[in-house]
Amino acid sequence: KNRSSVYKPCPHCKTPVVHYYRHGCHHIGGYNESCCGKYWCYPCGGPHPCVKGCGVFCDDKCGCPLCPECTLDHRCSTCTGCPRCMVAGEDPYNDMW
């Protein structure tokens, strides 16, 4: 995918931000982000907490792109188990604990 189809602009400062599928929650902001640090909802670009009903975590409808670093049987350091790196039958949430 090209940069414009993967990144979304921060609604506050317009810095391009990406949130990969199952790489934490959908809220963007705070001290560890690459943009201005103001909080917002990644799927809809609205305020956080989301007022439009977006899920806190990824699901089949959120549209977050798959991580380019994940491969079959190998997760990147921030993934909780996406379709690109999960082994068949794996439960990413049970395997995290």
Side-chain angles (χ1 to χ4, degrees):
K1 288 186 171 185
N2 66 36
R3 183 178 172 101
S4 63
S5 67
V6 174
Y7 289 77
K8 293 184 178 185
C10 169
H12 305 284
C13 69
K14 307 303 181 209
T15 300
V17 175
V18 67
H19 173 273
Y20 292 117
Y21 187 77
R22 285 199 168 170
H23 282 63
C25 67
H26 282 141
H27 99 268
I28 305 296
Y31 68 91
N32 61 350
E33 298 299 333
S34 59
C35 62
C36 63
K38 293 184 180 174
Y39 292 94
W40 55 285
C41 174
Y42 186 80
C44 71
H48 174 77
C50 183
V51 296
K52 294 183 179 179
C54 297
V56 174
F57 293 99
C58 293
D59 60 26
D60 294 336
K61 299 175 277 185
C62 69
C64 293
L66 295 177
C67 174
E69 294 180 33
C70 291
T71 59
L72 184 62
D73 296 330
H74 176 76
R75 290 184 185 146
C76 76
S77 62
T78 56
C79 189
T80 59
C82 70
R84 200 171 261 172
C85 65
M86 282 179 43
V87 176
E90 177 182 39
D91 182 346
Y93 296 105
N94 284 336
D95 292 344
M96 285 172 37
W97 314 114

